[in-house]
Amino acid sequence: MDLIVSQDGDGWQATFGDKRWRCAVGRGGLHTDKVEGDGVSPVGRWPIRQIFYRADRMAKPTTRFPCHEIDRLDGWCDAPSHPDYNRQVKLPFAASHEELWRQDDLYDVVVVLGHNDDPPVAGAGSAIFLHVARPTYSPTAGCAALSKEDLLAFLAIAEPTSHLCFHRRSA
């Protein structure tokens, strides 16, 4: 069973079987052609690779996926020309990157999705995650986001074969 992210009359939702949660997606909505930095969430079915979490803020999530504590030196390379593009890196890191250890709570739980990672194609998008939503569910930079409570509920029931699907309805 997959987590399906789609839009309905009430906004964006994530559905997993009979569960339905409010969610946020990229500021550009969903699109089939993903480009680094465009702010869109990539249409498609993406496997769940691993989970990162802030052990200083919460207990290890209940999940069947590989789960790792976030370290202050953890980052994610988003520089298309770098050999580590769309890979976890250790800080300090000279090329463009995201820090996984954030001051806000958006990355208290980070689900790494298998988008553009096998192998990464330069410029086709990096750091597509499922993470904690802002209280207002404002748009992400291209990820999907659920409340922390809903994200942890999903991880507890997701199966190793579960994927996240960004689904754009046909007009």
Side-chain angles (χ1 to χ4, degrees):
M1 186 173 0
D2 293 339
L3 181 68
I4 309 295
V5 174
S6 61
Q7 191 172 27
D8 69 6
D10 298 327
W12 292 99
Q13 66 180 4
T15 307
F16 188 76
D18 63 351
K19 305 287 186 190
R20 181 176 167 172
W21 301 293
R22 183 177 179 194
C23 72
V25 300
R27 65 184 177 274
L30 306 186
H31 203 278
T32 54
D33 297 319
K34 175 74 183 149
V35 177
E36 184 66 42
D38 62 4
V40 304
S41 298
V43 170
R45 183 173 185 257
W46 311 112
I48 295 170
R49 299 289 193 214
Q50 60 185 325
I51 315 298
F52 289 96
Y53 72 101
R54 288 281 301 265
D56 63 316
R57 294 184 175 170
M58 59 182 284
K60 181 179 179 181
T62 300
T63 184
R64 295 180 183 138
F65 296 97
C67 198
H68 313 281
E69 293 181 16
I70 295 174
D71 182 272
R72 290 180 185 273
L73 301 180
D74 284 332
W76 205 270
C77 178
D78 58 11
S81 62
H82 196 278
D84 287 326
Y85 178 61
N86 200 25
R87 300 275 188 231
Q88 181 185 5
V89 295
K90 287 296 181 183
L91 307 179
F93 188 73
S96 179
H97 63 276
E98 276 196 65
E99 293 183 13
L100 297 185
W101 187 278
R102 292 176 57 123
Q103 295 307 308
D104 60 23
D105 63 355
L106 300 185
Y107 283 6
D108 282 5
V109 182
V110 177
V111 178
V112 178
L113 302 175
H115 172 265
N116 190 34
D117 69 341
D118 189 23
V121 174
S126 65
I128 305 299
F129 302 139
L130 171 60
H131 60 74
V132 177
R134 291 178 181 86
T136 60
Y137 290 85
S138 58
T140 70
C143 300
L146 301 171
S147 72
K148 187 185 288 187
E149 178 182 330
D150 294 345
L151 180 51
L152 292 173
F154 165 69
L155 290 175
I157 59 176
E159 301 166 6
T161 56
S162 296
H163 289 62
L164 183 141
C165 298
F166 287 111
H167 179 72
R168 188 171 64 188
R169 295 203 172 128
S170 301

